[in-house]
Amino acid sequence: MHGRQVLIHSRFEAMTKGNALLKELRTMLQSSADPERKIGQERYFKGTIRSHGIPMPVVLKIGRTFLNKMKPASKTEIFEICEDLWKSGNFEESIIACHWSRYPKKEYARADMKIFERWVRNYIGNWASCDTFCNHTVAMLLEKFPDQLVVLKKWARSNNRWMRRAAAVSLIVPAHKGLFLEHVLEIATILLEDKDDMVQKGYGWMLKVAWDAHPGDLYAFITTHKDRMPRTALRYAIEKWPPAQRAIAMR
C-alpha cells in the first residue's frame, strides 16, 4: 500500500477496534446496573444525571479494564472515544471519559484546550463530572501550557453555570501546589457575586485550597471582598482559617 492507503487502513482498524470496545464497555456497564441505586443517585444529583446506579469503585475498575484493552492508542483515538462517551449523556460513561482523557497527558497540546472547552460547554451537566474532569484533565493541560489560563477568564463570564464552575475548579490542584495565585484571585473576582450556588461553592473551594500556600494574600483578598461574597462562597473560602479569624469574617 502507498503511505496514504496505509494511514487510512490503520485509521479504519483503530475505529473498528474502538467501536467494538465501546460496545463491550456499554454492555458491561448495563450488566452492572442497580435500579434501586440508580433512583437514589439521580435523586441525590437532583435530576441532573442519567445513570446506571453503579458504585464509583466499580465504574473506575471497569474503566481501567477497558483502557488497558485499548493500549496502545493515540491521543486522537482516545479523545474520539471520550467524545462518544460524553455524547451518551450517561453519568458513568462521563466519569470514564474524565479518567481516560488523562491517559495521553504527555501528548497534550495547546489546541486540546478547544476540545476540552467543547466538552465542558456541550456535555457537562453536574458537579461530579465537572470537578472530575477539570480538577485533573484541564488542570494538567494548564500546568503544561500556562498561557491557556486566559481561557478560564472567558469561561468565568459564560452564561453556562458549569463553565463558570469549571473556571474555578480547574485551578484547584494547581492552587494546592501554590501555582497561579494571580489567576486564582482574578477568577474569584469575576465570580465574586455570582448567584448560582454551584459556582459559589466552586470558587469558594478554590480560595480555600489556595489558602495553604498563600494565607496572607488570601486573608487580604477575602477580608477586602467578604461583604460582597455570597455566604456560601465565604463559608467555603474560610473553612481552614483559625476559629477567631473565621468568626470575624462571618460577621
Side-chain angles (χ1 to χ4, degrees), residues 77-217:
E77 291 162 358
I78 293 286
F79 282 3
E80 285 178 353
I81 294 176
C82 286
E83 184 104 26
D84 279 336
L85 292 168
W86 281 115
K87 283 180 179 178
S88 74
N90 174 265
F91 177 62
E92 288 85 356
E93 290 190 28
S94 77
I95 294 299
I96 290 173
C98 291
H99 286 271
W100 283 8
S101 61
R102 303 177 200 173
Y103 171 67
K105 61 185 179 182
K106 292 182 180 178
E107 300 176 54
Y108 283 174
R110 285 180 176 83
D112 294 332
M113 193 67 174
K114 292 183 179 179
I115 296 173
F116 297 166
E117 179 176 78
R118 185 175 73 247
W119 292 352
V120 175
R121 182 178 61 249
N122 293 339
Y123 305 127
I124 286 180
N126 62 82
W127 62 262
S129 296
C130 182
D131 296 357
T132 304
F133 181 62
C134 295
N135 281 180
H136 302 286
T137 301
V138 177
M140 288 173 182
L141 186 142
L142 292 173
E143 289 189 33
K144 188 172 183 179
F145 302 107
D147 59 305
Q148 293 302 299
L149 285 158
V150 68
V151 176
L152 299 186
K153 319 297 169 59
K154 182 179 72 172
W155 293 8
R157 294 183 171 90
S158 171
N159 291 327
N160 182 323
R161 70 190 303 202
W162 300 114
M163 292 194 79
R164 300 201 306 279
R165 182 178 173 101
V169 300
S170 293
L171 292 175
I172 297 293
V173 173
H176 184 67
K177 299 175 182 178
L179 301 175
F180 308 146
L181 175 64
E182 176 186 348
H183 299 279
V184 166
L185 299 182
E186 188 174 346
I187 293 293
T189 301
I190 295 170
L191 299 175
L192 196 65
E193 298 181 73
D194 201 290
K195 306 300 184 191
D196 192 301
D197 68 323
M198 287 288 101
V199 180
Q200 295 168 11
K201 291 173 182 177
Y203 91 76
W205 179 21
M206 174 184 68
L207 292 174
K208 176 178 71 174
V209 171
W211 165 272
D212 289 334
H214 304 283
D217 294 287

